Amino acid sequence: MNEILQLKGRFEQKDSGNKPGPSNIPKDKFVTVERLNNLKRDLTGVNAFWEKEKLLIKPLISAYYTDVVAKSNRIKGILESGSKKNNNSVVGAKFTTGEIKKHIITHCVSQKTILDATRNIERVISIIKDNFGNQITYNNISEINLNKFNYLFCNAGESGISKSRFVSIVVDAYYLEKFGVERDTSDLQENAIITIYDTGTKTADIMNQLNIDFSSVRSIDETTLLLTPDQYNLLKSKAPYLISMAVSDISILEKDDIREGENLVMSIPKPSNEPIIGVIDTMFDKEVYFSEWVEFKNMLDDEIPLSREDYNHGTMVTSIVVDGANINPDLNDGCGRFRVKHFGVATSGAFSSFTVLRAIKEIVVANRDVKVWNLSLGSFMEINDNFISPEAAILDKIQYENDVIFVVAGTNKPDNSNIRKIGAPADSINSVVVNSVGFDDKPATYSREGLVLSFFNKPDVSYYGGDNTKKIRTCSPKGETLVSGTSFAAPWIARKLAYLIQVLGLTRELAKALIIDSAAGWSDNIYSPQLIGYGIVPVNINDIVKTPDDEIKFMINGISEKFDTYNYNIPVPEDKGKQPFVSKATLCYFPNCSRNQGVDYTNTEMDIHFGKLGKTKRGKEKIYSINDNKQSDEGLLLLYEGTARKLYRKWDNVKHIRENIKTPTGRQKKPKQDNGLWGVSVKTKERLNTGDGENLKFGLVVTLKEVNGVNRIQEFIQQCLFRGWLVNRIDVENRIDIYNIAEEEVEFE
């Protein structure tokens, strides 16, 4: 087995050199006067709606698009002048229902902006009718951009319109179907966690206008509130357009299959300097044999009564975290034992999501020494297609702001149930979400499926959680207990992540990438990724931190400081003038996310290009990416947003790219420059104008597989050292020694 290598070298940084060309619609397309008239009529209707409304807020207006649109094709001219102003007014985004997804993006603007938009469309219609007939084409707009019709825009004052505004409005009209005002259609009969659109007006003032007693309203932030059924129905009846999202506050803990076993007679040494994993779950029983390894705190109100049932789930989950390898010898992962900080935030039945949300924030901030958190609580209810659950949004924000990682159970499907999609918080984008397989490597019958927001693939990975044939052995207050469920698959992944981060010293970005990379093989899974994720994580940690003799696996940490973070200096060994390798790469990062942006949830996109170096037709260096990624390539490339999301996982914070093992690089057509070097480029883009992508860390894991079975790792190391890379072998025994020395208590005489 070869050890995994960690490469340390210099990444170059540069701003985007590509200035956007003049705006235009797609080639051979056109915009009709009828389309513009319809949009003008919609704007007039929206303005009339807000003139009748008594609530004193800036108007909300929703733009209905013809497709899933890129940020560059959002409104640029109709509402405001310039894409930046229009982007800043976005307060929500979702998709239409049905198989064909289309964007609905909601803006908050002044009433004057809507009136000005109506007048500007009238001016555009007048110019088109007088000069181009009943439609304007791509060629017409090209001529306008080439200044052939400048006389039409000489009077760009109150009675006229500028050339750039004219073109922007025409392009906007091409991508738009209509304007309107969205209204909440949820039907909730219990306490509800609702999010209102950010209109710039204080929530307290809005509630007072609606005669809702705000002093009794509990909030997570300025726009996310916990309302009683009466308060929610009052808000919905008076201002349904104000509600961006609404979910029930009451989560029913999805049940695991539990069967009592024999008396459990186990022994365990006293804890010393083992790594700590955080567990957020139901209660923990201090009478179990491993209780010395667990620091427990009940986060619930003292007045909430607890039964014996409330201690089962949490105790069983923690038994796997502490001593899972000893309790289940056939799942011995080689990671040893872990200490646990266990926080009880829920009972065994129904619980308040709002209470759990506030507790999680408090717990993580107060325990900054814990880097890996296990959360095996999951909701019975399915996630919503158009917004992230409040629970998941909190987890994503915590992980962006803190150097921690959550492992979340993929939730279970009850027997004979129509429920199919995963439940909160398994829709957390930054977390590692784990589904279950049986010991036959088939998805467990209780597994639920992604996608999240119709796009993000969850779960991330799968692991052994037991089934009817063979269950997982745990320790509960009753003794040995045999169980199955995603709740008992997740802790095994938490153990592996804690080992990688705290014992081997990897960053969380690399640890997550390594876990996903270990699950993703060289061929496609026979099961849907919506059910199994990238694949099944190997049992033994050595199969994650070591690799077969015919593979070279290396890891690189990076920080994105500008648009392009790149290195063109990765030497790949050759054999008879060819490079006999196939390759795969996994990129992970933890972006900031905006729940109020709906389906456009992640604020930052990292686009990876990895492969051989070559030359463009203009003689510039170029990476011939192994997945044929043509985003950001030179020249005009028509790549629809939906296609970019599907092919290149645009806006996803996990990128896994792979060559087909049947077509090794050495047999492919060579780039024009063949110097044996490969390159990596990570291009960072922001959806909002917030700077969230600046100084964002990423972890990259690359595997090169020699197609002839030859071990070429020494040659690779030598060439890397020659080119200035620092090469560290991940020597597990050495890293363990370093960890133990670092954790020793020093007594001064």
Side-chain angles (χ1 to χ4, degrees):
M1 299 284 282
N2 283 335
E3 295 166 332
I4 295 179
L5 307 176
Q6 191 165 12
L7 302 189
K8 294 184 179 180
R10 177 183 174 86
F11 271 100
E12 301 297 329
Q13 308 275 346
K14 68 177 180 181
D15 294 320
S16 174
N18 297 328
K19 292 185 178 180
S23 188
N24 205 337
I25 62 179
K27 208 167 187 178
D28 299 326
K29 301 296 181 180
F30 57 87
V31 174
T32 64
V33 168
E34 182 184 10
R35 167 72 68 88
L36 288 159
N37 270 318
N38 288 340
L39 293 175
K40 185 186 81 169
R41 182 196 64 215
D42 294 340
L43 288 169
T44 302
V46 170
N47 184 63
F49 173 86
W50 285 107
E51 283 186 337
K52 294 177 183 177
E53 278 299 308
K54 297 178 181 179
L55 189 62
L56 301 177
I57 60 170
K58 288 171 64 177
L60 296 160
I61 178 170
S62 293
Y64 297 77
Y65 287 85
T66 59
D67 204 342
V68 177
V69 293
K71 174 185 171 181
S72 57
N73 290 331
R74 286 181 174 186
I75 287 175
K76 290 191 285 288
I78 290 182
L79 295 179
E80 294 280 3
S81 59
S83 58
K84 187 172 182 179
K85 283 186 179 180
N86 286 291
N87 209 40
N88 287 340
S89 69
V90 173
V91 292
K94 60 184 179 181
F95 291 140
T96 54
T97 57
E99 290 187 10
I100 300 176
K101 301 297 180 187
K102 300 177 183 180
H103 255 122
I104 304 172
I105 297 179
T106 301
H107 296 255
C108 183
V109 297
S110 66
Q111 200 155 1
K112 179 180 182 301
T113 297
I114 298 174
L115 289 170
D116 289 346
T118 307
R119 285 191 287 266
N120 282 330
I121 289 184
E122 285 179 351
R123 293 163 182 160
V124 170
I125 291 171
S126 177
I127 290 173
I128 293 174
K129 289 176 71 175
D130 291 346
N131 297 275
F132 304 101
N134 289 323
Q135 65 183 36
I136 185 168
T137 67
Y138 167 87
N139 290 333
N140 297 146
I141 299 172
S142 294
E143 290 177 335
I144 290 172
N145 286 328
L146 292 171
N147 302 320
K148 291 188 177 181
F149 291 91
N150 278 0
Y151 63 90
L152 298 176
F153 311 102
C154 291
N155 299 316
E158 288 189 9
S159 61
I161 190 169
S162 68
K163 180 178 71 173
S164 61
R165 190 72 176 266
F166 173 89
V167 171
S168 292
I169 289 174
V170 172
V171 174
D172 288 347
Y174 175 81
Y175 291 104
L176 284 168
E177 278 188 352
K178 63 177 181 177
F179 288 104
V181 179
E182 280 287 291
R183 295 168 177 81
D184 176 56
T185 58
S186 305
D187 184 20
L188 302 175
Q189 304 301 321
E190 56 274 311
N191 286 358
I193 299 175
I194 69 108
T195 300
I196 62 174
Y197 288 112
D198 183 2
T199 61
T201 302
K202 287 186 176 181
T203 302
D205 294 340
I206 292 174
M207 294 297 150
N208 288 335
Q209 289 185 60
L210 297 173
N211 294 321
I212 296 174
D213 181 12
F214 191 69
S215 63
S216 65
V217 174
R218 299 167 67 193
S219 62
I220 295 173
D221 52 42
E222 178 63 21
T223 59
T224 304
L225 317 168
L226 177 65
L227 300 183
T228 65
D230 289 344
Q231 291 171 331
Y232 169 69
N233 289 327
L234 185 59
L235 175 62
K236 186 178 176 182
S237 65
K238 290 189 173 183
Y241 49 80
L242 197 60
I243 301 172
S244 171
M245 316 165 213
V247 295
S248 170
D249 175 49
I250 302 302
S251 290
I252 300 174
L253 186 65
E254 38 84 16
K255 298 297 183 182
D256 301 288
D257 186 8
I258 298 172
R259 186 171 72 228
E260 291 183 26
E262 303 171 358
N263 290 331
L264 190 65
V265 180
M266 302 287 290
S267 62
I268 191 170
K270 290 185 177 296
S272 56
N273 64 344
E274 291 82 5
I276 297 174
I277 295 176
V279 172
I280 298 172
D281 213 288
T282 64
M283 303 299 124
F284 175 75
D285 191 320
K286 296 181 180 180
E287 300 301 318
V288 292
Y289 77 93
F290 57 91
S291 61
E292 280 190 274
W293 289 68
V294 181
E295 180 184 329
F296 171 63
K297 183 176 182 181
N298 179 4
M299 301 296 291
L300 296 181
D301 192 289
D302 292 338
E303 296 181 1
I304 295 177
L306 297 174
S307 69
R308 294 308 302 168
E309 284 294 314
D310 298 327
Y311 291 82
N312 288 339
H313 189 272
T315 304
M316 291 187 292
V317 167
T318 290
S319 74
I320 295 176
V321 176
V322 172
D323 204 26
N326 191 36
I327 301 174
N328 297 270
D330 51 350
L331 289 178
N332 187 351
D333 51 18
C335 295
R337 294 184 173 95
F338 294 87
R339 291 176 289 160
V340 168
K341 285 189 175 182
H342 185 123
F343 298 88
V345 299
T347 59
S348 61
F351 60 90
S352 165
S353 297
F354 187 87
T355 301
V356 171
L357 293 180
R358 302 190 78 169
I360 290 175
K361 291 174 67 175
E362 177 186 339
I363 289 165
V364 173
V365 169
N367 295 273
R368 296 191 180 275
D369 58 322
V370 179
K371 299 300 180 184
V372 178
W373 292 89
N374 186 90
L375 186 59
S376 286
L377 296 176
S379 174
F380 177 82
M381 292 176 287
E382 293 181 303
I383 57 172
N384 190 287
D385 287 338
N386 280 314
F387 55 81
I388 291 286
S389 67
E391 299 97 317
I394 286 290
L395 297 186
D396 289 334
K397 187 173 184 63
I398 288 171
Q399 288 171 98
Y400 171 73
E401 294 177 346
N402 303 273
D403 185 24
V404 299
I405 186 168
F406 275 83
V407 181
V408 177
T411 64
N412 301 337
K413 178 169 60 179
D415 292 336
N416 304 318
S417 171
N418 292 326
I419 287 178
R420 182 177 61 85
K421 299 194 73 171
I422 56 178
D427 52 335
S428 168
I429 301 305
N430 282 332
S431 301
V432 177
V433 177
V434 185
N435 252 13
S436 281
V437 292
F439 285 87
D440 57 1
D441 290 346
K442 294 180 180 178
T445 56
Y446 51 78
S447 291
R448 291 159 72 173
E449 303 178 30
L451 301 163
V452 171
L453 301 181
S454 305
F455 166 66
F456 295 99
N457 195 65
K458 292 290 174 176
D460 293 284
V461 294
S462 290
Y463 200 71
Y464 303 99
D467 58 16
N468 289 331
T469 305
K470 185 176 181 180
K471 297 187 180 297
I472 302 297
R473 194 172 180 232
T474 68
C475 176
S476 76
K478 301 173 183 177
E480 179 189 57
T481 306
L482 304 177
V483 297
S484 61
T486 57
S487 290
F488 310 109
W492 296 100
I493 303 303
R495 287 169 55 85
K496 290 175 168 63
L497 281 169
Y499 187 90
L500 295 172
I501 294 170
Q502 294 172 260
V503 178
L504 299 189
L506 303 185
T507 64
R508 61 173 182 164
E509 290 81 11
L510 279 182
K512 181 178 179 180
L514 202 53
I515 288 289
I516 289 174
D517 188 79
S518 72
W522 290 101
S523 56
D524 294 335
N525 285 311
I526 61 174
Y527 301 107
S528 166
Q530 298 175 32
L531 190 62
I532 203 170
Y534 285 96
I536 304 169
V537 178
V539 171
N540 197 286
I541 194 69
N542 281 328
D543 293 324
I544 298 174
V545 299
K546 293 184 179 180
T547 192
D549 288 343
D550 63 348
E551 291 184 4
I552 302 169
K553 191 184 291 281
F554 61 90
M555 306 180 294
I556 303 176
N557 279 313
I559 299 176
S560 170
E561 298 174 5
K562 296 183 179 180
F563 168 73
D564 192 4
T565 304
Y566 65 95
N567 186 297
Y568 294 163
N569 196 31
I570 301 174
V572 176
E574 293 188 348
D575 179 38
K576 298 178 181 177
K578 293 186 177 181
Q579 293 172 325
F581 293 95
V582 287
S583 57
K584 62 177 181 174
T586 304
L587 176 82
C588 288
Y589 60 101
F590 291 75
N592 196 12
C593 302
S594 297
R595 186 170 182 261
N596 62 4
Q597 293 288 311
V599 293
D600 293 342
Y601 179 61
T602 49
N603 293 358
T604 304
E605 153 70 357
M606 284 190 176
D607 173 27
I608 181 174
H609 296 246
F610 170 74
K612 266 191 171 185
L613 287 185
K615 293 280 190 180
T616 66
K617 292 180 180 179
R618 299 181 181 179
K620 292 184 178 179
E621 279 191 310
K622 171 190 172 180
I623 295 172
Y624 285 79
S625 191
I626 62 174
N627 66 333
D628 199 29
N629 188 352
K630 290 189 168 55
Q631 295 180 93
S632 307
D633 275 6
E634 285 186 353
L636 184 61
L637 174 67
L638 183 59
L639 189 64
Y640 292 107
E641 178 75 1
T643 303
R645 293 188 181 198
K646 182 178 180 180
L647 293 182
Y648 307 123
R649 306 305 303 161
K650 187 178 180 184
W651 299 108
D652 198 343
N653 60 335
V654 174
K655 303 287 196 304
H656 178 75
I657 60 178
R658 188 192 71 215
E659 284 182 293
N660 190 325
I661 200 166
K662 295 179 181 178
T663 56
T665 304
R667 298 174 192 164
Q668 292 177 344
K669 183 178 178 182
K670 291 185 177 182
K672 291 184 179 180
Q673 176 185 355
D674 189 28
N675 55 12
L677 291 178
W678 287 43
V680 59
S681 168
V682 176
K683 294 179 170 63
T684 304
K685 307 157 194 173
E686 290 191 51
R687 199 192 304 268
L688 308 175
N689 308 310
T690 55
D692 290 332
E694 294 177 6
N695 299 314
L696 191 62
K697 297 177 182 178
F698 62 85
L700 176 66
V701 174
V702 174
T703 309
L704 305 172
K705 187 174 186 66
E706 222 277 2
V707 295
N708 301 311
V710 179
N711 190 346
R712 301 186 185 276
I713 192 168
Q714 290 301 331
E715 186 180 352
F716 177 74
I717 292 172
Q718 289 174 354
Q719 291 185 19
C720 285
L721 292 172
F722 178 74
R723 292 196 166 270
W725 290 97
L726 292 176
V727 182
N728 294 326
R729 294 175 182 264
I730 303 299
D731 185 326
V732 175
E733 292 183 4
N734 185 44
R735 296 286 178 108
I736 292 173
D737 290 340
I738 293 172
Y739 171 81
N740 288 332
I741 293 171
E743 294 296 316
E744 284 181 358
E745 291 187 8
V746 179
E747 295 184 6
F748 295 95
E749 295 182 358

